[in-house]
Amino acid sequence: MPDALGHFGPYGGRFAPEVLMAPLEELEAAYHAARQDPAFERELADLAHNYAGRPTPLYFARRLSAELGGAQIWLKREDLLHTGAHKINNCLGQALLAKRMGKRRIVAETGAGQHGVATATVCALFGFDCRVYMGEEDMRRQRLNVFRMRLLGAEVTGVANGSATLKDAISEAMRDWVTNVESTHYLLGSALGPHPYPMMVRDFHKVIGEEVRRQSLDQIGRFPDSLIACVGGGSNAIGLFYPFIPEASVKMIGAEAGGRSLALGQHAARFAGGSPGVLHGAFSYLLQDEHGQVGLTHSVSAGLDYALIGPEHAWLHDQGRAEYVSISDQEALAAARRLARTEGIIPALESAHAVAEAMRRAPAEPDKVFVVNLSGRGDKDTDIYRENLPELEG
């Protein structure tokens, strides 16, 4: 757990304007009260099961494992959740909190669009007004999810500032929240931002790792040797990792976006080219230039295209408890294509980074068991796949 000020070691904290301190404290108090209320837990569990579709399967990728000839690769099928990704876990939890706090308007940011779709979904479910901020470049890349959000009743606002990607969408969502704190809850979508968001988002996603603990014992007879997940802000990865942190024999591996190269502006691998700094209310590893200005990022995957990593991941990295690697655009695309051809599963491009790392390691680790968090499905990325795999066009 973080300390009272939201620090994981030196990382995290609450770096926010004074006008947001009271709403952040209100949110923290509401969260702690809710997690001690059995009625809240029952309602969240009911929605997770009957609305979102939990528990998700732990699936043995038999043909992929056989082709690689080494470790067994098991997939945690978060892609089978309602809306197509893990994001719904956190959105349901925060929507219930907003209802408890009497907030009837929700603002959110989105990169790949999956958090935006999940936010629009829960707003429709609870009857909330919804505005989602999205970089114009991401709107171009994720047109299907923009349409889905609008179909669900959300107002999608494009952001042209900066790189017109996730970083800029978060900035605009926070500006909106500052202006409308009395009526509005900011439904932040990853394990980053000012305290209590990194802790709260992790807690709403830890169901992923809790299920894997039970499922691996039931289906495999033991815990996996390695857990592998993609890491943008880090919500799906920390949800998988957190319940296993005390299990020293279980490796935890995060796959960041290596992009086109490891030159600043060509990737989003914070541990490969970043240094500690502050962005959007938290202190963590940040891609920045020699003057401390936030660096531009690139990834073929919109959901990994972000300059800061969640603070708990920074702490796990420094403690040596988790390992973080970078996967290039081309490696992720190749992994997605191979998974589709061997298992009939088209992954989200974010998740393909984790699949690629499992494929890279598996041949050298016979008799080992890997669990890869398949955090989302690839429908949303069809246009990007078409752009990058033109040989598949008829």
Side-chain angles (χ1 to χ4, degrees), residues 8-84:
F8 300 90
Y11 304 108
R14 185 179 283 165
F15 296 85
E18 188 63 33
V19 69
L20 283 183
M21 288 302 179
L24 286 166
E25 290 168 359
E26 177 194 19
L27 177 61
E28 183 182 8
Y31 174 69
H32 285 304
R35 294 319 298 250
Q36 295 170 27
D37 182 352
F40 178 88
E41 292 294 332
R42 283 194 301 271
E43 187 172 6
L44 180 57
D46 178 75
L47 287 167
H49 178 65
N50 293 307
Y51 186 72
R54 303 214 70 91
T56 58
L58 183 64
Y59 166 73
F60 179 37
R62 190 176 308 277
R63 290 194 62 225
L64 179 63
S65 299
E67 278 197 7
L68 295 169
Q72 293 182 23
I73 297 177
W74 293 71
L75 305 177
K76 180 57 172 164
R77 298 293 308 275
E78 295 295 287
D79 60 311
L80 295 179
L81 285 172
H82 181 44
T83 72

Side-chain angles (χ1 to χ4, degrees), residues 76-233:
K76 180 57 172 164
R77 298 293 308 275
E78 295 295 287
D79 60 311
L80 295 179
L81 285 172
H82 181 44
T83 72
H86 70 291
K87 295 293 188 180
I88 193 72
N89 302 322
N90 170 55
C91 288
L92 286 171
Q94 288 201 48
L96 287 174
L97 278 181
K99 185 174 77 168
R100 286 173 70 99
M101 292 187 292
K103 311 285 186 178
R104 304 296 301 176
R105 180 176 180 269
I106 301 293
V107 296
E109 84 299 329
T110 197
Q114 287 303 112
H115 175 61
V117 169
T119 299
T121 297
V122 299
C123 287
L125 179 66
F126 286 91
F128 295 156
D129 293 333
C130 180
R131 173 173 287 189
V132 178
Y133 289 91
M134 191 173 189
E136 290 185 351
E137 169 61 14
D138 290 338
M139 291 180 72
R140 181 193 68 79
R141 293 193 284 186
Q142 300 289 344
R143 289 177 296 176
L144 174 61
N145 274 344
V146 173
F147 181 82
R148 292 171 75 196
M149 285 182 267
R150 289 172 172 159
L151 183 62
L152 288 159
E155 181 178 351
V156 183
T157 300
V159 179
N161 303 334
S163 58
T165 57
L166 181 58
K167 169 180 68 70
D168 313 291
I170 293 175
S171 297
E172 288 303 313
M174 295 187 86
R175 289 189 188 101
D176 185 316
W177 192 29
V178 166
T179 308
N180 300 286
V181 291
E182 292 299 320
S183 62
T184 300
H185 171 64
Y186 177 23
L187 207 166
L188 181 59
S190 195
L192 45 84
H195 181 65
Y197 280 107
M199 172 187 68
M200 185 172 68
V201 174
R202 176 203 69 196
D203 288 350
F204 287 136
H205 282 305
K206 70 181 180 180
V207 63
I208 302 169
E210 290 170 345
E211 288 179 5
V212 170
R213 285 180 67 97
R214 296 191 297 270
Q215 291 168 326
S216 61
L217 291 176
D218 290 343
Q219 296 176 234
I220 307 167
R222 63 183 180 87
F223 287 152
D225 298 288
S226 296
L227 306 171
I228 306 174
C230 66
V231 183

